[in-house]
Amino acid sequence: MVHQSKIEGNPAQRERFVFSAHSQFGVRGIIGDIFAGFRAGRVWRAFAWEETKRRYRRSALGLLWIIIGYVAFVGAVALFFGNFNLATAEQIKTIEQYATHVGLGYAAFALITSNIQDGAALFTNAAAWIKSVSLPYSVYALKNVTRTLVPFGLQLASWFAFALLTGHVFKPVALLTLPAIAIIVFNAVAMQLFFGFLSARYRDVEHMVATILRVLLFMTPILWTYDGTSGVTRVLADFNPITHFVEIFRAPLTGNPPTAANWIFALCSTVVIWGAAILAGAVLRRRLPYLV
Amino acid sequence: MAYIKAVNIKVRFPVLRGSGPNSYGHEAPQGLDDSRLIRNASGAITGVQALDGIGLEAAKGDRWALIGRNGSGKSTFLQVLAGLLPPDEGVVEMSSRPTNLININLGMELEADGRRNIMLRGLAAGWSKKEILARRAEIEEFSGLGPFLSMPVGTLSAGMRMRLNFAIATAFDPEILLLDEWLSAGDVEFQKKAAERMDRFVAAAGIVVIASHGRRLIERVCNRCLWIDAGKARMTGAPKDVLDAYELAMAEEHALQERIAAQ
């Protein structure tokens, strides 16, 4: 379904399939692809699960490794950076609060950045399928996004277990985290498509992304707190969209409503990210089978 | 009513410039006919004209054979018909979604077992879980893989994978089936089963387009033949006539080359 358009024919006939030079150009082509992709839900769900299984096949602990890795990371950070942050941050009074700050921040950060990282390898990894099965290309993006939800869900569940054990108090404002997750996942689809198309054409993108993401971990208030810093660090965090996506997700669960600025920045980023994804798709989609 | 109508299909493979082995610059790769290269104003190669205004019309029950030497555009044409490659010019119109078996090694999860791959390929081809489960026993039986179905597909031999692929692709009685030449790579037993399946297909008035070098397969299955040469249609007709002309031309060319080499 690279470039197929179904057209209504004689009602006595079944749907007709037309592949032509004119049916798949530009913005209409990529938007049609995305809608067709969403409709093929059972395909990307099955493939997402298959890939998750593939990553942990023949491993004794399997998905448990996600939880182990997460707990080890958050535990180590709390151990080594905890006291320093307790001394500087205003809103963090206990080591449990700091662990929550790191744990939730890291889960959201990992969800966002794994979608960028996987996106940069999206179509090159799917090349075998692109060259043999006629599916909307967005199916591969949706498959990847679905797959990244598995580690995120397990990490979130680990944090909930921790919160219950330590007697964390949930306020009603915690529900605001749900629209935040929704908007992060919505953006994940666009990030997959944008970096997928771009890196299919420009192979340096995948390496560039890996380099930038490593730096971004330090530019996002995860290991440190936003109100505990000032000057350049603060400005860099302000201009890092991931800061705001992490904040709208994390703040409600820690009992603080996220600021309007966080939400406005996140929504503006959404428009930019989706715009970039559609532009990249409009320009590169038609040539994709030649690029991968 | 099944039909395919492909008109004036043109495909240019872009040659990306930049680093790496893809940058040929101004030199034509050895052995490639220069007339098929596309150059920009300064003479650098920017693409290859893979298909140059080719067409095909098939009505119900037609079984087309595509013949031609390696690199003539047979597989590219099949990929355009399958909706895998967008044509640069021209239109393909068909009555229903085609099923393709173009590349045997692609479109399989190599670490998943055969049964799981039946499900995945079925879903990717647009069938529902229920439809796939209803056909699964038949696919398993036809593939003849028995206990090997519960092994990772990556551990199967090329022939076994082909049998599984063929079994999945044909199990749903597609109206339009596109096959590349690897079909003739099966063993005798599989060829016989595949031929029987083709007969069932022909009886149901489906359309087959098959790219092949195998004269026996073509003469057994096909009723029309298209000879593709350098991305253009060179001859169309009954399989026997076209194959005879093709083989004669190839023999003449071979003789000519031998004479040149001898001089």
Side-chain angles (χ1 to χ4, degrees):
Chain A
M1 219 149 89
V2 175
H3 41 268
Q4 124 189 330
S5 55
K6 285 181 213 171
I7 52 175
E8 300 300 321
N10 177 350
Q13 272 180 355
R14 299 229 313 258
E15 56 191 10
R16 286 194 294 157
F17 281 70
V18 179
F19 310 141
S20 85
H22 305 288
S23 61
Q24 64 247 298
F25 266 126
V27 173
R28 262 182 56 200
I30 180 67
I31 289 177
D33 186 301
I34 291 166
F35 277 99
F38 270 106
R39 281 197 299 272
R42 58 184 181 220
V43 180
W44 44 264
R45 280 195 303 270
F47 278 87
W49 183 235
E50 192 55 43
E51 270 194 34
T52 304
K53 281 199 298 187
R54 184 170 70 204
R55 295 202 169 187
Y56 295 95
R57 189 163 277 137
R58 295 201 291 154
S59 135
L61 298 182
L63 290 172
L64 208 55
W65 277 115
I66 293 172
I67 295 173
I68 296 169
Y70 175 71
V71 171
F73 178 80
V74 175
V77 169
L79 184 66
F80 289 108
F81 295 94
N83 289 331
F84 170 73
N85 276 280
L86 287 181
T88 55
E90 287 164 29
Q91 292 185 349
I92 289 177
K93 304 276 186 289
T94 64
I95 198 76
E96 286 88 355
Q97 280 177 339
Y98 180 66
T100 288
H101 176 83
V102 176
L104 290 175
Y106 181 70
F109 180 83
L111 174 64
I112 294 165
T113 55
S114 64
N115 273 294
I116 295 174
Q117 185 80 78
D118 290 1
L122 171 65
F123 294 125
T124 36
N125 280 349
W129 286 91
I130 287 170
K131 288 172 181 174
S132 67
V133 181
S134 176
L135 282 169
Y137 297 142
S138 55
V139 160
Y140 306 109
L142 291 160
K143 172 216 49 169
N144 269 6
V145 173
T146 311
R147 180 168 49 68
T148 60
L149 291 177
V150 174
F152 178 70
L154 288 172
Q155 290 169 356
L156 202 55
S158 312
W159 177 77
F160 267 104
F162 169 78
L164 292 176
L165 284 173
T166 57
H168 181 86
V169 183
F170 287 95
K171 296 185 188 157
V173 74
L175 289 174
L176 274 179
T177 201
L178 295 175
I181 293 174
I183 204 153
I184 290 171
V185 173
F186 181 61
N187 274 295
V189 180
M191 291 189 295
Q192 290 272 356
L193 290 170
F194 174 71
F195 288 104
F197 280 117
L198 207 64
S199 70
R201 175 64 185 87
Y202 304 101
R203 294 296 166 93
D204 292 290
V205 169
E206 192 177 345
H207 307 289
M208 187 190 75
V209 159
T211 309
I212 293 175
L213 290 184
R214 213 169 297 142
V215 177
L216 273 181
L217 177 64
F218 300 103
M219 274 174 61
T220 312
I222 294 167
L223 307 183
W224 44 277
T225 60
Y226 183 75
D227 55 51
T229 54
S230 55
V232 176
T233 4
R234 199 157 187 164
V235 172
L236 282 175
D238 274 333
F239 281 96
N240 170 10
I242 299 181
T243 301
H244 303 280
F245 284 111
V246 167
E247 212 54 54
I248 59 171
F249 160 75
R250 176 175 59 192
L253 288 174
T254 59
N256 312 303
T259 65
N262 288 147
W263 264 101
I264 288 167
F265 209 111
L267 289 173
C268 291
S269 303
T270 304
V271 174
V272 173
I273 293 165
W274 267 98
I278 286 172
L279 185 69
V283 175
L284 292 168
R285 176 173 168 274
R286 216 181 83 83
R287 292 209 294 157
L288 191 65
Y290 302 108
L291 296 176
V292 294
Chain B
M1 201 67 84
Y3 71 91
I4 302 177
K5 196 175 165 200
V7 185
N8 189 33
I9 302 297
K10 294 190 181 182
V11 169
R12 289 183 284 276
F13 280 134
V15 174
L16 296 180
R17 270 184 294 166
S19 55
N22 273 343
S23 44
Y24 296 117
H26 294 62
E27 293 280 312
Q30 221 180 354
L32 189 57
D33 184 358
D34 200 71
S35 67
R36 291 177 80 187
L37 297 176
I38 299 156
R39 294 166 184 279
N40 65 11
S42 64
I45 297 165
T46 58
V48 177
Q49 189 77 45
L51 294 178
D52 196 3
I54 207 162
L56 181 149
E57 276 192 48
K60 63 175 258 200
D62 274 350
R63 289 95 57 202
W64 275 93
L66 307 180
I67 63 168
R69 59 166 90 202
N70 295 137
S72 57
K74 301 184 297 292
S75 296
T76 306
F77 191 38
L78 275 183
Q79 286 175 42
V80 172
L81 294 177
L84 301 173
L85 280 185
D88 289 298
E89 280 177 49
V91 181
V92 180
E93 194 184 316
M94 51 183 76
S95 52
S96 64
R97 183 178 168 130
T99 296
N100 82 71
L101 275 174
I102 290 178
N103 195 325
I104 168 192
N105 286 314
L106 302 184
M108 284 263 181
E109 285 292 324
L110 295 183
E111 287 194 30
D113 67 14
R115 289 194 180 85
R116 183 71 187 152
N117 268 294
I118 293 173
M119 179 58 78
L120 292 174
R121 272 209 82 116
L123 288 172
W127 306 102
S128 73
K129 247 177 198 168
K130 224 173 105 187
E131 286 169 308
I132 298 163
L133 289 176
R135 305 273 174 148
R136 204 171 80 172
E138 187 197 329
I139 296 171
E140 289 179 5
E141 201 276 321
F142 186 85
S143 75
L145 292 185
F148 291 102
L149 278 165
S150 46
M151 290 177 65
V153 166
T155 64
L156 301 182
S157 76
M160 287 170 159
R161 250 181 272 174
M162 177 190 65
R163 294 159 79 120
L164 183 60
N165 252 332
F166 185 82
I168 297 168
T170 55
F172 296 95
D173 296 318
E175 255 191 347
I176 299 172
L177 185 61
L178 311 170
L179 299 166
D180 212 341
E181 44 205 343
W182 52 263
L183 185 63
S184 40
D187 59 23
V188 178
E189 182 213 343
F190 174 75
Q191 293 243 354
K192 192 164 155 274
K193 278 172 99 170
E196 279 163 14
R197 183 75 33 125
M198 290 294 211
D199 289 341
R200 179 176 108 185
F201 201 77
V202 170
I207 293 175
V208 184
V209 182
I210 186 165
S212 179
H213 293 288
R215 187 175 186 124
R216 262 179 52 204
L217 177 76
I218 293 173
E219 285 189 323
R220 183 170 188 320
V221 174
C222 301
N223 64 347
R224 312 286 308 270
C225 189
L226 169 63
W227 172 8
I228 303 178
D229 190 33
K232 295 192 179 79
R234 176 137 165 202
M235 186 178 172
T236 305
K240 193 182 171 309
D241 302 342
V242 180
L243 280 165
D244 286 345
Y246 172 67
E247 280 166 13
L248 187 66
M250 290 302 114
E252 276 174 2
E253 203 168 294
H254 186 67
L256 184 70
Q257 273 168 359
E258 292 221 314
R259 242 178 319 182
I260 292 169
Q263 274 173 9

